[in-house]
Amino acid sequence: MTTSAQSLSSLLDRRDWSGADADAVYDAFTDWAAGTGLQLYPAQSEALIEIVSGSNVILATPTGSGKSLVATGAHFAALAGGRRSFYTAPIKALVSEKFFALCDVFGSSRVGMMTGDASVNAQAEIICCTAEVLANLALRQGRTADIGLVIMDEFHYYGDTDRGWAWQVPLLELGRAQFLLMSATLGDMTFLSEDLSRRTGRPTAVVSSVERPVPLFHYYATTPLHETISELLHSRQSPIYIVHFTQASALEQAQALMSINVCTREEKDAIAEAIGNFRFSSGFGKTLSRLVRHGIGVHHAGMLPKYRRLVEQLAQAGLLKIICGTDTLGVGINVPIRTVVLTSLSKYDGQRTRHLQAREFHQIAGRAGRAGYDTAGTVVVQAPEHEVENVRLLAKAGDDEKKRRKVQRKKAPEGFVSWTKSTHDRLIAADPEPLTSHFAVSHSMLLNVVARPGNAFAAMRSLLTDNHEPASRQRRHVRSAIQAYRSLLTAGVVERLDEPDATGRTVRLTVDLPPHFALNQPLSTFALAAIELLDENSETFALDVVSVIESTLEDPRQILSAQQFKARGEAVAQLKAEGIEYDERMELLDEVTHPKPLADLLDAAYAMYCKGHPWLIEHQLSPKSVVRDMWERAMTFGEYVSFYGLTRSEGSVLRYLSDAYRALRAGVPQAARTEGVEDLTEWLGEVVHQVDSSLLDEWAQLTSPEDLGAAGGRSEVAPPTRPLTANTRAFTVLVRNALFRRVELAARRRYADLGRLDAADDWDAAAWQEALEGYYAEYDSIGIGGDARGPSLFHVTVEAGRWLVRQVFDDPDDDHDWGISATVDLAASDEAGEAVLAVTGVDRW
């Protein structure tokens, strides 16, 4: 626990606060803040005075103006008043970050977290959670909820089309709570302020300020981007965050900037020292290693978490001059940024390309200039390329009017959504757009309301007719709710009561809802039922269990798109070879999709299951094969990413594999945990851990409160990785998979691919072909089914520092006398994070 945590905790503990007035609470907190070197800005003081006085507060101040300190003061005031407080953020990573920060300030015994995936100290006085967790608690408990204070960070998510309902529901249902709503980009909050006062009976203060502690200076640049960046570096305006609206363009720009000498030799040496023994994998990792050693970072959601964290930590240490990333920096990237450069004022939003909204522009621009780091921030908007070229052509023509009139000005490409300095000036002057309500009705909402004590009909009527929606949409919501209720009644999930029960209920649930219903993998109960349909004696049982679990996970769009692209490419080649005409080929290709194991079985089972669980209709079962595909191809993580061309999205691949591992650990009943299922689960966990342990380490830490003291280790640039060979079971599977990859290629006689795997050990394509000619002189094929990769055909001899292994071929006569022999270097495997083996022979044994 830090000194600040000790002093604030002791401040709460060393006196009885039950009779303390607002002035005493305010003075105590501000004295503590001053003791830590923090002096409150006027807006912070105003907001805290309103909070300790019992008012709701809508805090609309710029990024970097200290909203987090106001939130800390609000938590303190709630604790001093004996009230429980909840803090919400839009994404789990920010919830986790705030959880650890509050543990540091208030002590871990007072702070808990609930995200739907993990629950830590759930009865604590301070709870950090996602907005959806709080919304579902509000639906299930209503005004009776033990919640005295609600702090909703990044409140502009209220206007999000898909998730905005979760920011609205607590306002509607938690009438006894005090609210602190915070964002840098709220717009006109008159309606919400008045509505909040009406519902809670408290006055609501809107504390807003356009004055930033660190002022911003805006510029519109008509020079080429590399010249703009060079000038900013020369004028000491780094660190510079260059904002792109695609991950690909962020990486391309970072690589292009390698031509600029960003850092001095001394600065590069300091970067190398800070990086130390950090493990960069092949592919993107090697690219990032070159970039950061040059003083240039890359940051976007498709990267591995360990790479994003490395970039953040190097930037926090002042070692990176440039970071090329996406606009996700608007949601909590914790790095000091002096200058933001926007490469565009238009973006594709998933449906169309459009100009940035004022809220989006201010959210991104506001990241420039951080208190405690800078005296000013700079925001540069780069002109479109055709405008930059026109400026260059006119400059070349000089002051000669004849030459200037003859200049053939470039036009924007067809379909390009362009922008000008006028667009830039308009966005700077514009206030954020008013927030728009996006209430939504679901079966889950009904079930949560029915689960609360009291009259569910009256509660639901109030929720549907007294929300922030216009009357026309309210009527639609009422019709949706009636349809959902009837389906629940028909399925027997709820039942009417002839007389109200002791709590006033006139309708009740006939099933028990899990604690985090609708949050922690809603289809997990279906998975349990579907696994019972599988044949445990089947050689594919373990993989079929994986397919059931995968069908309940959220679709990883990048991976599925890559799988479909690869499958269609292979199908085209096959159809051409078969002489199929073009039109028929195109028609047949429409039917080619990503692999969907057990699709018919699962779809039929799900349709039947939904008859008894109608709320699941809102969730889409999605058969797919990522974990299974990776296992069946016997590929390492790097090979899989390379095979499907997912280098720029490897972070998304890892997140999916991590989710699948957690689901396998938690969602497979003990009766189905055969040796094959356990092997596959251990293998997957070790793959994830060795690629990037942060996701699983954090999950394990959050589900083991006794380990929370280890949180301090999160500051390390290169956290220690456990030796790969320490997990013997998982390492054995990794070695078997590495050998079986070669068996599969040998079975398909793909000698060139085999050569690429083992050329460094003098096993090129010619050597493989020559070695296998002896086998194919005796047998027609090599089996690659379940029996072929079973443990009976794999042999290990353990020696000091190495394993001697042999993978026996599954020949058609079951002679089992041919196979691949190899040595496995244990130390090299620990260093690489994957099995390092050298083939020593392909012969009869």
Side-chain angles (χ1 to χ4, degrees):
M1 191 180 293
T2 65
T3 303
S4 64
Q6 290 173 345
S7 58
L8 195 51
S9 292
S10 60
L11 184 61
L12 287 163
D13 291 337
R14 67 172 174 249
R15 62 168 287 184
D16 179 9
W17 291 92
S18 57
D21 61 16
D23 288 342
V25 174
Y26 176 82
D27 290 342
F29 181 77
T30 53
D31 287 347
W32 169 82
T36 62
L38 297 171
Q39 186 167 357
L40 273 62
Y41 301 123
Q44 290 174 309
S45 295
E46 182 184 351
L48 283 169
I49 290 170
E50 295 289 353
I51 287 167
V52 298
S53 301
S55 299
N56 301 311
V57 172
I58 299 174
L59 184 59
T61 56
T63 301
S65 59
K67 290 186 283 293
S68 292
L69 183 61
V70 176
T72 302
H75 284 304
F76 175 80
L79 289 172
R83 295 178 298 153
R84 199 170 181 224
S85 60
F86 274 63
Y87 168 92
T88 76
I91 59 176
K92 293 175 185 177
L94 290 181
V95 171
S96 175
E97 183 178 307
K98 182 59 69 172
F99 167 73
F100 284 107
L102 288 173
C103 283
D104 188 46
V105 173
F106 289 102
S108 58
S109 64
R110 282 193 166 102
V111 185
M113 183 177 70
M114 299 162 64
T115 66
D117 287 335
S119 179
V120 179
N121 200 14
Q123 302 306 314
E125 298 162 282
I126 298 173
I127 295 293
C128 301
C129 62
T130 56
E132 283 82 0
V133 167
L134 179 62
N136 279 284
L137 281 173
L139 289 169
R140 194 178 293 198
Q141 299 177 15
R143 292 180 65 88
T144 65
D146 178 21
I147 301 175
L149 170 73
V150 172
I151 301 172
M152 304 191 85
D153 206 351
E154 306 288 353
F155 186 73
H156 55 274
Y157 270 80
Y158 171 97
D160 185 90
T161 305
D162 297 320
R163 301 179 62 199
W165 70 272
W167 274 259
Q168 183 172 161
V169 163
L171 308 182
L172 306 179
E173 292 295 296
L174 301 177
R176 294 166 55 191
Q178 180 185 17
F179 285 87
L180 169 58
L181 313 179
M182 306 189 302
S183 174
T185 54
L186 287 178
D188 184 1
M189 295 293 286
T190 303
F191 167 77
L192 278 172
S193 171
E194 294 172 352
D195 184 75
L196 199 53
S197 293
R198 174 177 70 86
R199 293 177 188 277
T200 63
R202 300 172 182 269
T204 299
V206 178
V207 179
S208 60
S209 172
V210 295
E211 293 297 322
R212 289 172 48 97
V214 179
L216 285 185
F217 294 94
H218 292 266
Y219 300 95
Y220 187 76
T222 56
T223 51
L225 182 58
H226 68 277
E227 290 184 16
T228 303
I229 300 303
S230 294
E231 177 57 32
L232 289 169
L233 289 171
H234 183 71
S235 57
R236 300 183 181 278
Q237 297 302 307
S238 62
I240 304 165
Y241 197 105
I242 308 177
V243 181
H244 303 78
F245 293 99
T246 68
Q247 296 173 4
S249 56
L251 178 58
E252 288 167 5
Q253 187 58 59
Q255 291 174 308
L257 290 171
M258 287 286 284
S259 60
I260 299 175
N261 191 18
V262 173
C263 294
T264 64
R265 180 70 264 167
E266 292 76 12
E267 289 169 332
K268 290 179 181 178
D269 291 342
I271 292 171
E273 184 178 354
I275 290 172
N277 296 322
F278 185 92
R279 182 193 290 169
F280 291 95
S281 306
S282 58
F284 175 76
K286 300 303 181 187
T287 301
L288 182 64
S289 177
R290 290 194 300 273
L291 289 168
V292 295
R293 293 176 195 280
H294 197 74
I296 301 171
V298 179
H299 194 284
H300 60 69
M303 294 166 57
L304 295 177
K306 67 177 182 181
Y307 291 154
R308 289 204 308 275
R309 183 160 177 76
L310 172 68
V311 169
E312 291 169 11
Q313 291 178 328
L314 291 176
Q316 288 163 354
L319 297 173
L320 297 183
K321 300 293 183 68
I322 298 171
I323 304 173
C324 295
T326 57
D327 57 331
T328 52
L329 88 160
V331 190
I333 175 176
N334 185 26
V335 300
I337 300 166
R338 180 168 295 170
T339 301
V340 168
V341 177
L342 287 92
T343 59
S344 173
L345 289 181
S346 62
K347 66 180 286 188
Y348 181 70
D349 63 7
Q351 296 180 332
R352 63 188 177 91
T353 301
R354 57 165 176 80
H355 284 139
L356 295 183
Q357 297 173 350
R359 170 169 290 105
E360 293 169 326
F361 175 79
H362 289 299
Q363 196 73 31
I364 297 168
R367 293 292 165 180
R370 302 302 297 263
Y373 293 96
D374 306 308
T375 56
T378 303
V379 181
V380 179
V381 171
Q382 190 68 21
E385 288 184 10
H386 68 276
E387 184 180 342
V388 172
E389 179 63 11
N390 288 337
V391 169
R392 186 189 69 81
L393 292 171
L394 289 170
K396 188 177 180 180
D399 296 329
D400 189 323
E401 284 302 320
K402 282 188 177 182
K403 288 183 179 180
R404 292 176 70 88
R405 282 195 297 271
K406 289 180 181 180
V407 169
Q408 295 291 317
R409 302 196 181 199
K410 304 285 185 182
K411 294 183 179 179
E414 188 175 348
F416 180 73
V417 178
S418 190
W419 63 93
T420 64
K421 190 173 187 305
S422 297
T423 315
H424 168 253
D425 295 343
R426 175 182 60 78
L427 286 170
I428 293 172
D431 291 327
E433 296 80 5
L435 295 173
T436 304
S437 169
H438 291 287
F439 189 79
V441 174
S442 66
H443 286 78
S444 302
M445 176 180 284
L446 260 72
L447 287 170
N448 274 317
V449 172
V450 169
R452 81 164 73 157
N455 189 327
F457 290 108
M460 201 67 203
R461 185 186 303 116
S462 173
L463 190 62
L464 293 171
T465 60
D466 190 23
N467 52 46
H468 300 162
E469 297 279 277
S472 60
R473 289 215 297 267
Q474 286 182 348
R475 288 191 291 272
R476 266 204 318 272
H477 295 322
V478 169
R479 288 193 294 271
S480 297
I482 291 171
Q483 291 172 357
Y485 173 71
R486 286 173 176 167
S487 70
L488 293 171
L489 202 62
T490 302
V493 176
V494 300
E495 63 180 7
R496 291 178 181 147
L497 300 177
D498 295 331
E499 297 289 337
D501 67 10
T503 69
R505 286 190 178 95
T506 56
V507 61
R508 71 180 176 195
L509 293 173
T510 62
V511 296
D512 292 328
L513 299 182
H516 302 303
F517 172 71
L519 291 171
N520 190 10
Q521 195 44 51
L523 299 183
S524 57
T525 54
F526 167 73
L528 290 172
I531 288 172
E532 293 181 3
L533 301 176
L534 303 178
D535 179 5
E536 190 174 323
N537 296 318
S538 168
E539 67 175 27
T540 63
F541 176 74
L543 290 173
D544 291 342
V545 169
V546 169
S547 291
V548 170
I549 295 297
E550 287 201 78
S551 72
T552 67
L553 300 178
E554 186 176 343
D555 282 353
R557 289 181 295 104
Q558 298 100 320
I559 306 174
L560 301 188
S561 295
Q563 287 180 330
Q564 183 177 49
F565 181 79
K566 175 76 74 172
R568 287 185 172 178
E570 293 171 353
V572 165
Q574 183 177 344
L575 292 172
K576 281 183 176 180
E578 293 173 1
I580 306 296
E581 294 297 325
Y582 175 81
D583 290 340
E584 188 178 354
R585 286 206 308 268
M586 293 301 100
E587 189 174 330
L588 290 170
L589 281 178
D590 288 339
E591 302 173 9
V592 177
T593 183
H594 59 83
K596 299 180 179 181
L598 306 185
D600 292 341
L601 170 69
L602 291 171
D603 287 342
Y606 189 58
M608 182 66 68
Y609 192 77
C610 284
K611 290 180 179 179
H613 305 75
W615 63 88
L616 291 181
I617 295 171
E618 297 156 7
H619 304 282
Q620 189 67 42
L621 190 75
S622 179
K624 52 187 165 290
S625 178
V626 178
V627 175
R628 181 170 185 157
D629 185 39
M630 188 174 171
W631 172 274
E632 289 181 324
R633 294 183 185 278
M635 288 181 169
T636 64
F637 180 85
E639 288 170 342
Y640 195 77
V641 165
S642 177
F643 181 74
Y644 283 113
L646 292 164
T647 301
R648 284 198 294 263
S649 303
E650 60 183 4
S652 302
V653 179
L654 187 75
R655 275 192 294 276
Y656 178 85
L657 296 181
S658 177
D659 289 344
Y661 171 68
R662 292 199 294 262
L664 281 168
R665 284 278 303 270
V668 178
Q670 190 61 41
R673 291 189 172 279
T674 63
E675 186 173 349
V677 172
E678 291 287 7
D679 279 351
L680 208 150
T681 305
E682 284 291 310
W683 160 79
L684 181 58
E686 199 60 38
V687 167
V688 174
H689 190 95
Q690 291 300 322
V691 172
D692 186 341
S693 66
S694 59
L695 291 174
L696 293 185
D697 286 347
E698 183 173 280
W699 177 60
Q701 187 180 63
L702 295 180
T703 53
S704 302
E706 65 274 11
D707 294 336
L708 290 178
R714 288 154 53 89
S715 64
E716 298 176 25
V717 169
T721 300
R722 73 178 181 219
L724 175 64
T725 57
N727 186 338
T728 304
R729 182 173 196 160
F731 184 63
T732 302
V733 176
L734 287 168
V735 173
R736 281 167 51 190
N737 280 358
L739 282 172
F740 198 74
R741 172 95 171 114
R742 289 158 174 82
V743 171
E744 280 196 307
L745 294 173
R748 294 181 171 89
R749 308 191 192 204
R750 290 167 57 175
Y751 304 119
D753 289 338
L754 285 164
R756 277 189 284 272
L757 283 175
D758 298 307
D761 299 316
D762 296 327
W763 280 84
D764 59 13
W768 270 102
Q769 184 170 359
E770 181 180 353
L772 287 166
E773 280 176 355
Y775 175 85
Y776 282 118
E778 297 183 39
Y779 305 104
D780 294 333
S781 62
I782 300 176
I784 55 173
D787 292 338
R789 64 188 306 163
S792 64
L793 298 184
F794 176 74
H795 305 284
V796 178
T797 301
V798 178
E799 295 186 353
R802 66 174 187 170
W803 286 2
L804 304 180
V805 295
R806 183 169 177 82
Q807 177 65 56
V808 179
F809 291 157
D810 184 23
D811 61 81
D813 296 340
D814 291 335
D815 292 332
H816 297 162
D817 54 352
W818 276 79
I820 303 172
S821 299
T823 59
V824 182
D825 187 323
L826 302 185
S829 297
D830 285 336
E831 177 69 23
E834 59 184 49
V836 176
L837 56 83
V839 173
T840 56
V842 179
D843 48 27
R844 181 184 283 108
W845 200 15

